[in-house]
Amino acid sequence: MTFKQEFFKIYDRKIASGEITFSKSGINKTDFTKLCMEPDYVFEEDTLSEICTRMGMNEEETLVLFRAAGYNSK
């Protein structure tokens, strides 16, 4: 799966369950638009780390996203 697919699988589930809202996710509108429009877009590593924290992602979810983004530091 691509980063975009992995991210939206987690994001959509958390939005639907009420765990998070867009405004609390830590994603700025520009990055969200790029993620939606650009097939290979990934957040910068520091930004992704902050988003994972703000969205309350567990270790497995975070690891999946970091691997899908091509980052090996998590």
Side-chain angles (χ1 to χ4, degrees):
M1 286 183 124
T2 67
F3 173 79
K4 183 178 187 171
Q5 291 168 324
E6 292 288 4
F7 177 80
F8 277 113
K9 183 170 68 171
I10 297 167
Y11 176 84
D12 289 346
R13 181 173 36 81
K14 288 183 174 281
I15 288 285
S17 72
E19 285 180 65
I20 62 161
T21 61
F22 177 79
S23 62
K24 293 182 182 178
S25 69
I27 305 168
N28 71 45
K29 291 178 185 178
T30 301
D31 283 340
F32 191 80
T33 299
K34 286 180 181 180
L35 183 62
C36 292
M37 303 299 291
E38 299 175 19
D40 298 324
Y41 182 79
V42 297
F43 300 116
E44 291 184 16
E45 191 170 1
D46 290 343
T47 302
L48 180 56
S49 182
E50 177 67 20
I51 290 168
C52 289
T53 299
R54 292 187 67 169
M55 287 179 57
M57 291 187 195
N58 63 36
E59 193 173 322
E60 182 180 339
E61 292 167 330
T62 301
L63 184 59
V64 164
L65 287 184
F66 269 77
R67 285 186 178 156
Y71 302 132
N72 296 314
S73 64
K74 288 284 174 186

